[in-house]
Amino acid sequence: MTDISSYLRKINSTAKKDREESLTTVLTFLEDKDVYLDTEEMRRIKSFVLIADTPETRKLHESMTTTVDKYLFELVKNLRIDEKELLEASCFYEQVSKVLEKQGLEAKTIIDLCAGNCLAGALWILNGAEMVYFVDKTDSNNSKKVRKQLDLNEYNTKYNYDNVDIFDEKIRTYFENAQKEKGIIVSIHACGSLSDRIIELSIKYHVPFAVVPCCQGREIDDVLRTSGYTVEDAQFHSRYFEDISGYSDLMRINYAIEQGYKIILRALPREITDKNRIMIGIPDLSSYSS
Ligand SMILES: C[S@@+](CC[C@H](N)C(=O)[O-])C[C@H]1O[C@@H](n2cnc3c(N)ncnc32)[C@H](O)[C@@H]1O
């Protein structure tokens, strides 16, 4: 951080050359960082960028600020969907697709579970995925509106929508297809044990997943855990976490790791949602890509 601080100060220099050099260095420094993670380091950089005002700090600010995906904005601009929902989905898409790309995974087929308003899957369609399967227990007005826009823009062959309860055995068809088609499971705000069900089936069918859990603590008995963790452990240790959510997710993470998965964590900006932990699970790729 000492090094980057001196470069940050230079971004405010009167010499253009210094400012540009500083911008390049700070952008490179941020490349492998999670800019939405609420750490002291990120807060320091953001507050510095907000105070200074040069073309370079504005560029830096842009790179650290989430915006609604341009294709999504065009698609839904007249639908009056809450901006928070659009930002949340856009940021999720941005974070997850970056990780998948780095892991060498092509997101041609996406299974958007507990899809709600269908924004996450829509982002993959708009950005070139071949096929998206939306699944939710119930339909909603926003979902219908988003799908109608997809149809009007001739994306109707790029998706399939289905109402299935995730605890119904029929859901396995989607995981079987994901396995065959090298699909990726995604789900934003899968409440309580919905996240566990998604992670457990993804692992069973050996497919990558990206899940944002929420309502942790609800159905705590059903949280996936390794042999080393009990619910009592969770209740005891969670006193030292901000809330039960951290500990529930830690149990899920340990479970996935014990099952041979690599877990990569990313964040959504806290200003958008405080249920902001993205858990990305990658199976052993040697068998996945065969
Ligand atoms: C908090 S919402 C999140 C929706 C969406 N992913 C989003 O980001 O807006 C949870 C979604 O899970 C769906 N859901 C709840 N229980 C379910 C179940 N048992 N099977 C499938 N979907 C379920 C709800 O209908 C709702 O759309």
Side-chain angles (χ1 to χ4, degrees):
M1 193 61 206
T2 332
D3 255 348
I4 211 69
S5 289
S6 70
Y7 276 107
L8 262 180
R9 279 192 291 277
K10 273 206 222 155
I11 213 166
N12 225 2
S13 157
T14 47
K16 191 167 182 255
K17 188 171 163 289
D18 281 350
R19 294 200 310 268
E20 286 178 352
E21 187 198 347
S22 163
L23 176 67
T24 311
T25 310
V26 181
L27 284 177
T28 310
F29 171 81
L30 289 175
E31 242 167 42
D32 63 343
K33 299 276 184 307
D34 186 346
V35 293
Y36 301 136
L37 192 60
D38 192 18
T39 57
E40 195 191 331
E41 187 178 59
M42 285 305 147
R43 282 199 294 275
R44 279 178 68 190
I45 297 177
K46 279 180 189 168
S47 61
F48 187 91
V49 166
L50 280 177
I51 297 164
D53 188 21
T54 62
E56 291 75 17
T57 51
R58 287 195 285 276
K59 269 204 186 119
L60 203 48
H61 184 246
E62 257 171 45
S63 80
M64 300 180 80
T65 315
T66 181
T67 48
V68 175
D69 177 274
K70 59 181 191 286
Y71 302 122
L72 186 65
F73 179 80
E74 272 308 307
L75 187 84
V76 303
K77 64 184 175 197
N78 298 320
L79 300 188
R80 293 188 176 192
I81 295 179
D82 192 348
E83 199 194 12
K84 170 201 173 282
E85 299 292 318
L86 302 179
L87 285 170
E88 193 174 274
S90 298
C91 187
F92 174 77
Y93 169 77
E94 178 197 342
Q95 292 277 54
V96 175
S97 50
K98 256 194 226 160
V99 169
L100 295 177
E101 198 183 319
K102 256 203 154 158
Q103 294 297 314
L105 287 171
E106 259 192 291
K108 284 195 209 153
T109 303
I110 294 289
I111 296 93
D112 184 358
L113 296 176
C114 304
N117 50 32
C118 294
L119 293 175
L123 274 155
W124 264 280
I125 298 175
L126 296 169
N127 284 283
E130 285 175 7
M131 189 66 193
V132 171
Y133 297 92
F134 295 108
V135 184
D136 200 291
K137 187 164 80 169
T138 47
D139 206 351
S140 69
N141 280 342
N142 275 351
S143 165
K144 283 185 191 129
K145 287 196 280 185
V146 169
R147 276 149 43 213
K148 188 170 173 196
Q149 282 305 109
L150 286 173
D151 295 348
L152 288 171
N153 286 276
E154 297 178 6
Y155 289 112
N156 50 313
T157 56
K158 295 274 176 193
Y159 77 88
N160 181 69
Y161 179 85
D162 202 0
N163 289 125
V164 181
D165 189 313
I166 204 160
F167 294 103
D168 190 302
E169 285 303 295
K170 199 183 159 199
I171 200 73
R172 288 177 186 273
T173 319
Y174 287 95
F175 286 88
E176 282 158 13
N177 286 347
Q179 195 176 39
K180 272 187 232 137
E181 294 173 30
K182 296 188 180 130
I184 318 275
I185 307 291
V186 303
S187 187
I188 303 180
H189 291 157
C191 317
S193 58
L194 300 179
S195 283
D196 297 292
R197 175 80 167 157
I198 294 170
I199 295 168
E200 191 174 25
L201 287 175
S202 299
I203 292 173
K204 195 157 264 163
Y205 288 89
H206 219 62
V207 290
F209 64 84
V211 175
V212 180
C214 74
C215 308
Q216 293 99 329
R218 199 198 277 179
E219 301 133 354
I220 183 78
D221 284 344
D222 299 329
V223 170
L224 295 169
R225 64 181 69 87
T226 61
S227 45
Y229 289 81
T230 64
V231 174
E232 288 70 35
D233 286 336
Q235 275 152 356
F236 180 79
H237 291 300
S238 63
R239 296 183 302 170
Y240 294 94
F241 287 73
E242 231 171 275
D243 53 36
I244 191 83
S245 86
Y247 203 78
S248 304
D249 288 347
L250 201 54
M251 290 203 289
R252 291 163 169 155
I253 290 165
N254 278 318
Y255 174 85
I257 291 172
E258 200 177 81
Q259 303 295 318
Y261 265 59
K262 171 161 144 189
I263 293 289
I264 299 166
L265 295 174
R266 287 291 181 271
L268 296 172
R270 264 205 193 275
E271 312 84 79
I272 300 174
T273 176
D274 55 357
K275 312 285 185 210
N276 71 331
R277 201 172 290 124
I278 309 176
M279 288 172 51
I280 304 169
I282 315 280
D284 177 5
L285 290 177
S286 53
S287 51
Y288 177 74
S289 57
S290 61

